[in-house]
Amino acid sequence: FKKNFRVSKRLFVDILKEIEPKFAPVRCKGLKPKEKFAATLRFLAEGSYQTGVGNDFNIAIAQPTFSVIFTQCLNIIEQTFSAKWINLEMEPGQQQEARRYFFGKSGIPGVVMCADGTHIKIIAPQNDRDQHYNRKGFYSLNALIVTYPSKPWLITPKRNPAPGSPDADYNTKHSQGREIVERTIGMIKNRFRCILGARQLHYTPEKATQIT
C-alpha cells in the first residue's frame, strides 16, 4: 500500500474519513470518494493515476475525468487541512525538544526551526514567464520549506566570511544545524515524485502551487 501511495494505510483511512463527507453524493457507476482520493495520491506519488492496488482500487480513469477528479480532491484537501497542517505554531514541549536537537547539531542555542527553498519544475506558463524562469535555466516555483518553525526571528549564514574567522566557524555550525531541512526536501521529493526535478508539473503556476 505504502509503495503505491507513499502513505500508510492508516493515514489514508484517517484522511479519507475527514474529506469523504465533503464530496457530492455518488451517482450510478460514479467513482467513490475513496477511489478519487486513491487516484489523486497515486498521481502525487508517481505522476500517474492509472493503477490498481488489490480489489479496492482496480480502476481505469480517462484523462478528462481524472482532471475533474484531481481538481475536486485538491480543493477539498486544501480546504480541510491547510490551516490545520500549515502553520508556525509549536507547543512549549515541542520548542524545548527542537532547541535540544539543534543545539546538539550546531552548538547554537535557542534555535527551534530551519528553512530552505527548493525549485519545483513546471512547464513554461502562458503569462509572466520571466517571473518563473530561474537562474538554473528552467521554469519553476520556488517553494519554502520550514522544519521546526519559530518566530519572530531567523538567523542566516554570514556572507563571504574570511577563512578561519568566527563568522566562518559560525557558518559551519549553521550548516550542520540546517542539514535536516535538506534531508526533508529530499524525503518529500522522493515520496511525492510528481515534484522531482527530473519531472515537471504540466499545470498553471497557480495549480502547481496548490499541488505543492
Side-chain angles (χ1 to χ4, degrees):
F1 195 96
K2 194 169 184 178
K3 178 181 178 181
N4 290 278
F5 296 122
R6 308 292 172 179
V7 298
S8 67
K9 189 171 184 178
R10 179 178 178 179
L11 180 57
F12 180 97
V13 171
D14 288 344
I15 294 174
L16 182 62
K17 284 181 180 178
E18 292 205 44
I19 66 175
E20 191 168 17
K22 301 182 180 181
F23 285 89
V26 178
R27 297 181 180 179
C28 180
K29 296 184 180 180
L31 292 176
K32 299 176 181 178
K34 178 174 65 174
E35 295 167 331
K36 294 179 179 181
F37 182 42
T40 296
L41 274 187
R42 178 62 177 173
F43 174 82
L44 297 175
E46 294 293 344
S48 170
Y49 57 90
Q50 301 286 9
T51 188
V53 181
N55 295 326
D56 290 336
F57 300 108
N58 289 322
I59 52 177
I61 307 174
Q63 172 60 43
T65 302
F66 174 73
S67 182
V68 174
I69 289 171
F70 191 48
T71 297
Q72 182 186 28
C73 280
L74 285 179
N75 288 337
I76 290 175
I77 291 170
E78 183 178 37
Q79 293 164 8
T80 305
F81 295 113
S82 286
K84 181 178 180 180
W85 288 354
I86 304 175
N87 63 74
L88 298 179
E89 302 300 326
M90 296 180 73
E91 298 293 333
Q94 294 174 316
Q95 293 187 27
Q96 185 176 10
E97 181 183 356
R99 288 191 185 95
R100 285 198 297 264
Y101 173 86
F102 282 108
F103 184 76
K105 283 287 185 179
S106 67
I108 301 174
V111 177
V112 293
M113 79 95 169
C114 57
D116 199 0
T118 185
H119 288 284
I120 308 298
K121 188 181 289 186
I122 62 174
I123 59 172
Q126 293 185 352
N127 302 314
D128 301 323
R129 290 193 175 191
D130 58 323
Q131 295 184 23
H132 295 91
Y133 192 76
N134 63 50
R135 60 182 177 81
K136 296 185 177 182
F138 58 88
Y139 295 96
S140 70
L141 302 174
N142 197 356
L144 176 66
I145 306 294
V146 180
T147 307
Y148 291 113
S150 181
K151 53 185 179 180
W153 68 85
L154 183 67
I155 59 174
T156 58
K158 304 295 184 181
R159 288 184 176 272
N160 304 315
S165 67
D167 282 351
D169 181 56
Y170 161 79
N171 276 2
T172 298
K173 294 178 178 179
H174 186 279
S175 178
Q176 291 170 343
R178 65 182 296 276
E179 66 180 12
I180 185 175
V181 73
E182 297 171 353
R183 296 199 307 270
T184 299
I185 290 172
M187 181 191 71
I188 291 172
K189 288 190 172 183
N190 184 59
R191 175 167 292 188
F192 301 107
R193 296 182 180 179
C194 68
I195 59 174
L196 272 176
R199 306 183 183 185
Q200 59 185 186
L201 292 173
H202 290 253
Y203 295 95
T204 64
E206 292 77 16
K207 187 67 167 287
T209 298
Q210 189 182 33
I211 292 170
T212 302

